[in-house]
Amino acid sequence: MAMDRDREDFLRAFHAAHPAVTARAMAHGRAGDGRSSYEILRDRVAACGRVLDLGCGDGLLLELLATGEAGARRRLAGIDLSAEELALARRRPGVARADLRVGRAQRLPFHASHFDGCVSHMALMLMSDAEQVAAELARVLEPGGTLAVVVGGGAAGGETYERFLRLAKPLFKAAPPEQRTPPLGNPRLRSHEGFDEVFGAAGFGPVEWETVRIDLSGPPEQIWRTVGSLYDIGPLDAAVTADLRARFEAESAAAALPDGSIPCAMNVHLATAVRR
């Protein structure tokens, strides 16, 4: 339990210092069909009228769920460890009416069968005690309810992420203990088999698993917001981070396209399951 508290304290501090970091890194990205990873999740629960966003951050996904005729009728809720992220979420059009709460996924403050849909964008994979989280989601989702989750799937070809990691990994290893990121989440939730195992035991049907390539190409400033959003960057000294950024952008300039943008892409895994 002490380790879980340490991890959650790290996440709270990181997001207090860097609110909206995930949206800034990923909202501009597009899959081959033109949708963002947030829009893909929204569409997976299009038929749901009572939706929970688990680890809702600054509320971008909730805002998408609240738009349109169907969105106006939805009852929405969001939960997050970060009060700072939720403060940003409350400013978004359509999200102010949502039930937003600071809390933990391992003990959701909602009664049984409260929702018919749950989404989670790049958050579930960071949570400790995966079995307890799965049990809580099974409890608050009604039978037949839909769970749709996006988890990170690593670099999708190209050299941008590889270039960044080549420069950054020695800095992570050389950082003093107090500047190192604690291990986050459960690796089983990043694979089809592991996700199926955890959620199948909790009462969900077979997981539908899809890997989607997200194009995150953009100008240098935008690319840094993407690669520099890694949790490992947060605890480093500001001077170390500034030097890393300067070296990364200098090397990336050689790969720039004619319009000045830097090619960059990552894979995400989209997991969808139905509560039995």
Side-chain angles (χ1 to χ4, degrees), residues 116-135:
D116 63 351
C118 176
V119 291
S120 185
H121 185 276
M122 300 291 281
L124 182 63
M125 64 188 190
L126 302 172
M127 297 174 185
S128 58
D129 198 355
E131 290 83 2
Q132 180 60 25
V133 174

Side-chain angles (χ1 to χ4, degrees), residues 2 15 22 43 57 62 69 79 87 107 132 135 147 149 161 164 167 185 192 207 217 220 233 253 265 269:
H15 284 275
T22 307
D43 294 345
L62 284 169
E69 185 177 339
I79 189 165
R107 190 173 181 180
Q132 180 60 25
L147 172 68
V149 176
Y161 269 105
F164 172 76
L167 296 170
H192 188 178
V207 173
S217 301
I233 293 286
H269 302 308

Side-chain angles (χ1 to χ4, degrees), residues 99-178:
D99 182 1
L100 301 180
R101 308 192 193 190
V102 175
R104 304 175 68 242
Q106 296 84 354
R107 190 173 181 180
L108 293 172
F110 305 104
H111 61 69
S113 300
H114 192 65
F115 303 102
D116 63 351
C118 176
V119 291
S120 185
H121 185 276
M122 300 291 281
L124 182 63
M125 64 188 190
L126 302 172
M127 297 174 185
S128 58
D129 198 355
E131 290 83 2
Q132 180 60 25
V133 174
E136 278 292 273
L137 290 177
R139 181 182 66 81
V140 301
L141 274 174
E142 66 180 25
T146 299
L147 172 68
V149 176
V150 160
V151 300
E159 299 179 355
T160 299
Y161 269 105
E162 289 79 0
R163 182 183 305 113
F164 172 76
L165 292 174
R166 173 172 52 78
L167 296 170
K169 280 186 175 180
L171 303 178
F172 300 156
K173 291 179 181 178
E178 65 274 14

